[in-house]
Amino acid sequence: MVWTLFLRYVVTLASTFLVLGDPDSAQLDGAPPSKIAIIGAGIGGTATAHFLRQHFGPEVRIDVFEKGAVGGRLATVTVNHQDYEAGGSIIHSLNLHMQDFVKQLGLKYRKSVAGKTAVFNGEEFILEETDWYLLDLFRLWWRYGISFIRLQMWVEEIMEKFMRIYKYQAHGYAFSSVEELLHSLGGTGFCNMTRRSLTESLLELGVSQRFIEEVIAPIMRVNYGQNISIPAFVGAVSLAGAQANIWAVEGGNKLVCSGLLKLAKANLMKARVTTVSLHTAGESNLYQLDFTSPTEKGTEFYEIVVVATPLETGVEPGISFHNFEPPLPEITGSYHQTVASIVHGYLNCSYFGFPDPKLFPFTSVLTTDSPGLFFNSAASICPVNISTGFRRKQPQEAGIYKVFSQRPLVKEDLKILFKSYYSVQVTNWQAYPHYGSMQGLPPVILHDHLYYLNSIEWAASAMEMSSVAAKNIALLAYHRWNRQLEMIDQKDLMHKIKTEL
Ligand SMILES: Cc1cc2nc3c(=O)[nH]c(=O)nc-3n(C[C@H](O)[C@H](O)[C@H](O)COP(=O)(O)OP(=O)(O)OC[C@H]3O[C@@H](n4cnc5c(N)ncnc54)[C@H](O)[C@@H]3O)c2cc1C
Ligand SMILES: *[C@@H]1O[C@H](CO)[C@@H](O)[C@H](O)[C@H]1NC(C)=O
Ligand SMILES: *[C@@H]1O[C@H](CO)[C@@H](O)[C@H](O)[C@H]1NC(C)=O
Ligand SMILES: *[C@@H]1O[C@H](CO)[C@@H](O)[C@H](O)[C@H]1NC(C)=O
Ligand SMILES: *[C@@H]1O[C@H](CO)[C@@H](O)[C@H](O)[C@H]1NC(C)=O
């Protein structure tokens, strides 16, 4: 596929216009666009391809550019003939788009294998999960008073409001910005939650400082590698993910991405897009994409383009935008580095205060935000394919552990955490926004028919958030193409949807 496109590189701009016809008249007589490009084949880009196909029908050509591997931040590494998730790993049971994809693609759920979690402060465990859920509840109650119940109610209320998005999207409503989307779900309260810190919101709620430091901070560290100063909205998403009822995809979460590409009948273009330039022909616009692969360079023209990869500085190498007048809004902010080290070896249980590894009862160790701690979390992990009869390795056996840290682990770090090890595989992620660098939510509409999916990550970064943004952009692109502006940014949707029935 890519090769035929490279041959067409010689095609001049003029003849490209001839091939496409006059896009403006096409738009006015209701004809669909003929070519759409998506930059990035992670869950966001592949879900966008799927939803665009649903809305624009079978004729439009959809090209998905990917410079690396399909899946993006959903990726696996192989240890001892088994694959393990190195990036995005857990999915909440109420993530309805992800659930729908798995169903449509005929993929299977991988339930998490039971295991106990504990919180380590660098010297000792300050919080331990026991076998018995009720006992845990009493223990938390005793230690933190009312905090725990208040927190649970807060997260539930936010989730309930967030779930409205599925209804709005099923009725075809789209939003022109992340603010509009959040506002329709939870009013100014939701928008404010992207600016206020999690600590501030929780303290106001009456959650104790101690609970925040000992329970909330470790959850933020494992999920987003950041502290409790992150915004309340992403904090709530992170807490929802810490509840029960989580799952993953059998065979690896990235199978959803390759599956969606096929389902959408999209063309995978294995190349890196370097430049997006605007070409104005009469009243209408075309976007020129320049791209390179290790061996070739190419150019193609599109009527609609969706950028489905972070544009923030530091996520290198970036895409440059040419000929836009006025210039496109600048995307500021940076991404947070999280290093995932998958270690095959023997955990050093002594370090955690258990000289006899047979007595070490935990599978996941979270950590508090204490100075000197060089890792965010360490957990025994399961392969992406779990056969019947699978059991976790005991701490006295060699096992597979995933360690998250902010900086790459050096030999000395590994020697503290592990008695000995056979292998270490390191993935250095530009993982999610560095929320402390936020200067407002980036735009979704960059130009008439040029969209930015990853702006949603500044509200919260998760597979489901990218999927929600994908559906929104497909609807938005469709309505804007067909000038159905009444389907965009409608107010009072709760009421409207009730009366539409
Ligand atoms: C360590 C880690 C743990 C996480 N854990 C979870 C979790 O448990 N649950 C959860 O829901 N989420 C989790 N997340 C977040 C989740 O993985 C991301 O929010 C989600 O995968 C983002 O998908 P995306 O498609 O928007 O972006 P990406 O997956 O980043 O996709 C962008 C793609 O674009 C490609 N690309 C970039 N530039 C170009 C270019 N110029 N030309 C062509 N292609 C380009 C990239 O190679 C990449 O494949 C985690 C993330 C990390 C890093
Ligand atoms: C959100 O913030 C604005 C401005 O600070 C305020 O007027 C509004 O009442 C807040 N909304 C909620 C629900 O707290
Ligand atoms: C959280 O981290 C940021 C840097 O990302 C730092 O500026 C801030 O002081 C930290 N807050 C706390 C409460 O530790
Ligand atoms: C893992 O699971 C996937 C999805 O069910 C399947 O396609 C694949 O063949 C499995 N791989 C192994 C090694 O069992
Ligand atoms: C394991 O932890 C203990 C206690 O912190 C430490 O003395 C030892 O050096 C660590 N490493 C190994 C390889 O045992």
Side-chain angles (χ1 to χ4, degrees), residues 372-397:
L373 258 180
F374 59 92
F375 65 104
N376 298 343
S377 62
S380 151
I381 54 171
C382 299
V384 297
N385 287 66
I386 295 187
S387 53
T388 43
F390 172 86
R391 65 164 188 86
R392 276 185 200 273
K393 287 277 194 295
Q394 299 298 308
Q396 66 271 22
E397 305 172 273

Side-chain angles (χ1 to χ4, degrees), residues 78-98:
T78 308
V79 185
N80 246 356
H81 316 293
Q82 296 263 32
D83 293 342
Y84 298 84
E85 297 286 358
S89 53
I90 60 168
I91 304 168
H92 193 273
S93 61
L94 293 176
N95 287 173
L96 300 190
H97 283 313
M98 286 301 292

